[in-house]
Amino acid sequence: MTAPEVIYAWRWLIRDTFRQSMANYLFWVMLAVSAVVIFFCLSVSIEGGGPLRPVDDLEVAKPHGHMSLAFGAWRMPLFRDGEAQVHFVLLLLAEWVAGGGGTLLALVWTAGFVPEFLQPANATVLLSKPIPRWVLLMGKYLGVVAFAGIQVTVFIAGTWLALGLSTGFWVSSYLWGIPLLLLHFAAVYSFSVFLAVCTRSTLTCVVGSVAFWLLCWGINYGRHCLLALESTLPPLHPLLRGLAEAGYWIVPKPVDMGMMLHRFLDAGDSFRSFSELQKVQELGAFYPELSLVTSLLFAIVMIVIAARQLSATNY
């Protein structure tokens, strides 16, 4: 196939993925979840919220305003300035709602796209066309990533816009969550695609992708813990150190994604990282750019392996 033909096929597959998401109502369910959170952000307001320590005020612990939720149904005192409070709310949304929890939900909700696509009743029609199987698989993968990209953009941009309009404070660093969360999802979802090609089972993709994410989290955090321990204990056995490094650099890195979110969103004033993660950064053993590159390389390798497996599958 020529390059324009490949691009045309991918465009069709991306549109088909969105059609599939609307037919099974997943598109609207995820939009509804985002809409609920965005509506909550619109209900937030800041009253007062001046500087935490005014020039003529010696009482640091005194509240300097209030934050109202649900259009004034609940009010809580502010012990920080208004912008810092909005920043804190956005950090909760980025690191906890859209971060780890959002990634796991996205893996579960999108796990059925490729298995359904590869069911014999559907696949035989597509595979009978003069289109290489790797083009079909890659197009479907890009379609799911595009679908996830739309959803994460609606969530991040929508909550940022809603909080900005309701409070008057605009924390632009929050928007870094869009590319970081999408790249992380793309890396981990490639393993779900591999499982789909091997089993064509939605349940296997759901359980397998969640288990894989948890395994990656453990490998990532374990490597950082070992490095932190080495600074206070005798050097580790070279074999153990080598296995930890190999596992860390091969698989996607959920902990590193959280650390990058923490850094880009300037979360240090609101949340403290685990001591092991702080130690790794102090040692200069955290390489965010290389972490992203190797995670994306993992995705490329998984898609290539899945495409080769699909080419050898009989329908």
Side-chain angles (χ1 to χ4, degrees):
M1 295 182 68
T2 63
E5 291 173 334
V6 170
I7 293 174
Y8 177 81
W10 284 351
R11 286 171 56 192
W12 182 87
L13 287 161
I14 291 172
R15 286 198 301 268
D16 182 68
T17 301
F18 279 87
R19 178 203 59 77
Q20 182 182 354
S21 70
M22 293 178 185
N24 60 19
Y25 302 106
L26 178 60
F27 184 88
W28 307 113
V29 169
M30 294 183 71
L31 276 186
V33 172
S34 296
V36 169
V37 181
I38 291 170
F39 184 73
F40 165 78
C41 291
L42 280 174
S43 75
V44 176
S45 62
I46 301 294
E47 304 169 21
L52 182 63
R53 192 180 301 177
V55 176
D56 58 347
D57 191 353
L58 299 179
E59 188 177 355
V60 179
K62 187 177 73 174
H64 293 268
H66 292 84
M67 182 176 74
S68 299
L69 306 176
F71 300 103
W74 292 282
R75 299 175 75 244
M76 56 185 68
L78 286 182
F79 293 92
R80 63 185 83 194
D81 63 73
E83 184 176 7
Q85 183 66 21
V86 172
H87 189 203
F88 176 76
V89 174
L90 291 173
L91 289 175
L92 290 176
L93 293 174
E95 296 197 18
W96 294 100
V97 180
T103 300
L104 288 174
L105 281 178
L107 289 172
V108 170
W109 285 346
T110 59
F113 278 110
V114 178
E116 182 180 340
F117 174 72
L118 295 176
Q119 291 302 315
N122 301 323
T124 50
V125 177
L126 292 170
L127 298 179
S128 65
K129 299 179 180 181
I131 302 176
R133 293 187 178 187
W134 71 268
V135 173
L136 293 173
L137 185 66
M138 187 65 187
K140 197 63 179 177
Y141 170 76
L142 292 175
V144 177
V145 171
F147 168 75
I150 292 294
Q151 296 294 341
V152 73
T153 300
V154 168
F155 182 90
I156 296 292
T159 50
W160 174 76
L161 183 62
L163 268 176
L165 290 173
S166 63
T167 66
F169 297 105
W170 303 89
V171 184
S172 57
S173 59
Y174 176 65
L175 298 176
W176 276 107
I178 295 174
L180 289 176
L181 292 171
L182 182 58
L183 289 173
H184 180 61
F185 172 82
V188 180
Y189 182 71
S190 64
F191 185 76
S192 181
V193 172
F194 169 73
L195 291 177
V197 171
C198 293
T199 67
R200 285 179 284 184
S201 167
T202 298
L203 179 61
T204 299
C205 292
V206 170
V207 176
S209 58
V210 171
F212 178 69
W213 187 90
L214 294 173
L215 175 66
C216 291
W217 196 96
I219 292 173
N220 193 172
Y221 185 66
R223 181 260 188 181
H224 291 339
C225 286
L226 287 176
L227 288 181
L229 286 173
E230 276 193 327
S231 63
T232 57
L233 298 176
L236 299 173
H237 192 280
L239 178 60
L240 179 61
R241 174 68 183 275
L243 289 174
E245 287 292 323
Y248 168 74
W249 288 112
I250 289 173
V251 301
K253 303 161 185 63
V255 176
D256 284 8
M257 187 275 293
M259 294 169 68
M260 282 182 272
L261 272 177
H262 196 86
R263 175 180 293 186
F264 279 115
L265 273 60
D266 300 320
D269 294 336
S270 300
F271 294 108
R272 290 182 59 86
S273 297
F274 293 132
S275 58
E276 296 85 0
L277 305 184
Q278 293 179 353
K279 189 65 176 180
V280 167
Q281 296 183 70
E282 293 171 3
L283 294 172
F286 174 54
Y287 312 99
E289 296 84 2
L290 194 55
S291 175
L292 281 177
V293 170
T294 53
S295 294
L296 292 178
L297 284 176
F298 173 86
I300 294 172
V301 171
M302 280 290 100
I303 296 299
V304 169
I305 294 174
R308 290 177 64 87
Q309 177 64 32
L310 181 61
S311 299
T313 302
N314 293 321
Y315 279 89

